[in-house]
Amino acid sequence: MNIDQSKIVVTGACGFIGSHLTEALIERGCEVTALCLYNPQGSYGWLHNSPLLDHKNLRVELGDVRDFQFCKKLLKGQDAVFNLAALIGIPYSYQAPQSYIDTNITGCYNICQAAMEYGLKRVMQVSTSEVYGTARYVPIDEKHPKQPQSPYSASKISSDAIALSFFYSFDLPVTIVRPFNTYGPRQSTRAIIPTVVTQIARGSDVLELGSLSPTRDLNYVADTVNAMMAIASCDDAVGREVNIGSGREISVGDLVRMISALMNHDVEIRQDPARIRPKNSEVERLLADCSLLKQLTGFSPAFSLREGLVRTIEWFRDDRNLSAYRTGFYHV
Ligand SMILES: NC(=O)c1ccc[n+]([C@@H]2O[C@H](COP(=O)([O-])OP(=O)(O)OC[C@H]3O[C@@H](n4cnc5c(N)ncnc54)[C@H](O)[C@@H]3O)[C@@H](O)[C@H]2O)c1
C-alpha cells in the first residue's frame, strides 16, 4: 500500500517511538490519528509539545487499547494502524505481569478485531527483539526461536501470535515489525542510554548500573521509524515478521564508556544489585540479521551509533528537555 496521504492510526503516540513515528507520518503527508493513553491531566505525553501538534493532519485521541468499543471507534474509516501501545519495562513486568497481558495481548487483539471489522488495508504490529531472548546464534534472523525470558517478552510473543493468527485465519493484512533496541530523544530513563546521559548531563561522577556484559543492537529512532514506514509500504511484507536492526553489537560496558567519552566526562561505574535481572531472565546477547528488511524494502540505517549518540546527547543536554527527567533513583 502507498502510505502517503493515507489515514493512519498510531497507538502509543504519546510515547518515545510513537511520537517520532507520528511526526514522520505527518511530514509524509498522512492524516494521522494519534492515540495517547487517557489520563485526567489531558496530557498527550511527548506529543504535547510537538511542533506539529496543531498541524491540520493530526488528530489526537485520548483512550485505551484495552477497551474494544473504544478501539472500534478509533479505527473506523482508517486505512492502516501502527500498534505501539504497550507496557515495555522488563523490571516492571516482574511486578505487574497481569497488566502486560491486558495491555499488550488484549490490546493487540482489540486492534486486530476492530481492524478486521472495518477492513483496514494494513495492521503493523510492533514487536520487540526481546521475544528472541539470549541469542542461540547470531545474527538473529526471523526464524530464531522465541524465548519468553520475561513476562514482557511473553506478552509480546503472544501479541505477535494473535496478530499473525488474524492474517492466517481471516486474511487480515498484518505485518509484525520487530525493532531491536531503539534510542534517541524522548526515551525514558528505564533504558540504558538515557540513564547514563541524564546522569552525566547533571554532573554525576558515579553511575549506578545493572549488568555491563549484555550486548545489544542499537538503533537510532529515526532509523527505526523510517524502517517501519518502509515496511508498511511493502505489500510483500504482509503476513511476515521483519527485524529492524543495525547489524552492529555493543556491550553495555563499552556503550557507557563511549557515551562518557562523547560527553567528555569520566565516570566511575558501580553495580547496583537492584538493577541486575534474575540470571535466567537477563537477555545476554542481541544482534539483528536485517537481510529480510533489506530484501523487501532496500532499507539500510542512515545513522552510525556515534552519530545517533551525538544527536541524543545534544537533545538531553538542552535544559528544556533534561528538566523533564528525574535522575538519582531507579525507575522500573
Ligand atoms: N524502545 C525500544 O527500544 C523498543 C524496542 C523494540 C520494540 N519496542 C516497542 O515499541 C513500542 C513503543 O515503545 P516505546 O519505547 O516508545 O515505549 P513507550 O513506553 O515510550 O511508549 C508506549 C506508549 O504506550 C502507551 N500505552 C500504555 N498502555 C496503553 C493503553 N492501555 N492504551 C493506550 N496506550 C497505552 C504509553 O502511555 C506509552 O506512551 C512498544 O510496543 C515496544 O514494545 C520498543
Side-chain angles (χ1 to χ4, degrees):
M1 105 177 237
N2 178 4
I3 64 168
D4 299 334
Q5 277 101 47
S6 297
K7 292 185 180 175
I8 299 195
V9 174
V10 177
T11 74
C14 40
F16 161 49
I17 302 175
S19 61
H20 288 283
L21 176 64
T22 299
E23 290 172 344
L25 287 166
I26 287 182
E27 274 158 10
R28 274 182 81 135
C30 305
E31 276 182 50
V32 181
T33 300
L35 170 63
C36 299
L37 178 62
Y38 173 80
N39 62 91
Q41 295 75 31
S43 168
Y44 298 161
W46 283 115
L47 274 188
H48 212 93
N49 296 320
S50 166
L52 299 180
L53 189 60
D54 295 324
H55 196 284
K56 65 175 177 31
N57 285 350
L58 175 63
R59 184 168 68 93
V60 182
E61 289 277 346
L62 290 179
D64 197 314
V65 292
R66 290 170 294 184
D67 186 311
F68 177 59
Q69 293 304 332
F70 173 81
C71 290
K72 273 185 73 169
K73 279 185 244 157
L74 184 73
L75 296 197
K76 190 173 181 188
Q78 299 289 329
D79 296 316
V81 56
F82 286 84
N83 185 32
L84 286 86
L87 293 177
I88 78 154
I90 292 164
Y92 186 56
S93 82
Y94 303 141
Q95 295 181 13
Q98 174 82 56
S99 57
Y100 284 65
I101 292 169
D102 293 345
T103 300
N104 299 0
I105 306 175
T106 305
C108 174
Y109 161 74
N110 288 339
I111 290 293
C112 290
Q113 183 69 39
M116 194 172 71
E117 292 190 19
Y118 289 120
L120 264 67
K121 297 186 205 112
R122 207 60 188 276
V123 174
M124 301 287 289
Q125 167 60 18
V126 179
S127 178
T128 166
S129 54
E130 286 288 322
V131 302
Y132 294 126
T134 298
R136 294 202 189 171
Y137 60 82
V138 289
I140 298 174
D141 59 17
E142 291 80 0
K143 294 188 186 74
H144 187 284
K146 313 285 195 305
Q147 305 181 91
Q149 285 178 234
S150 63
Y152 168 58
S153 167
S155 72
K156 295 295 272 193
I157 292 171
S158 309
S159 49
D160 297 355
I162 288 283
L164 276 177
S165 77
F166 272 65
F167 167 71
Y168 291 119
S169 308
F170 311 119
D171 283 331
L172 186 68
V174 169
T175 301
I176 310 295
V177 285
R178 183 163 298 132
F180 282 59
N181 291 70
T182 296
Y183 67 95
R186 304 175 180 165
Q187 189 170 25
S188 151
T189 49
R190 287 171 308 209
I192 181 69
I193 291 173
T195 300
V196 173
V197 173
T198 54
Q199 289 185 60
I200 297 181
R202 291 218 164 102
S204 301
D205 296 320
V206 178
L207 297 181
E208 304 264 355
L209 300 174
S211 301
L212 300 177
S213 58
T215 68
R216 293 292 181 264
D217 180 319
L218 293 165
N219 301 278
Y220 188 59
V221 65
D223 280 330
T224 299
V225 160
N226 285 332
M228 283 182 188
M229 294 191 297
I231 298 166
S233 309
C234 172
D235 292 339
D236 288 343
V238 170
R240 306 188 81 156
E241 303 170 62
V242 187
N243 285 344
I244 299 175
S246 67
R248 300 173 304 241
E249 173 184 34
I250 185 167
S251 71
V252 173
D254 286 345
L255 175 67
V256 175
R257 284 182 275 279
M258 191 171 171
I259 295 171
S260 113
L262 286 171
M263 295 183 79
N264 213 7
H265 188 104
D266 285 336
V267 283
E268 180 194 333
I269 298 173
R270 282 198 201 137
Q271 283 223 320
D272 173 6
R275 296 176 196 240
I276 294 177
R277 294 188 200 168
K279 187 171 169 295
N280 292 330
S281 183
E282 179 61 86
V283 172
E284 294 292 346
R285 188 171 192 198
L286 288 173
L287 173 60
D289 181 332
C290 302
S291 317
L292 182 59
L293 170 63
K294 177 95 180 157
Q295 177 200 318
L296 289 171
T297 66
F299 179 89
S300 303
F303 291 88
S304 67
L305 179 58
R306 190 177 190 287
E307 286 163 338
L309 286 175
V310 166
R311 285 178 179 235
T312 304
I313 290 166
E314 193 183 339
W315 185 87
F316 275 100
R317 272 189 162 148
D318 184 328
D319 277 340
R320 287 167 299 180
N321 302 322
L322 189 60
S323 60
Y325 288 84
R326 286 169 65 204
T327 45
F329 78 113
Y330 178 38
H331 177 203
V332 297

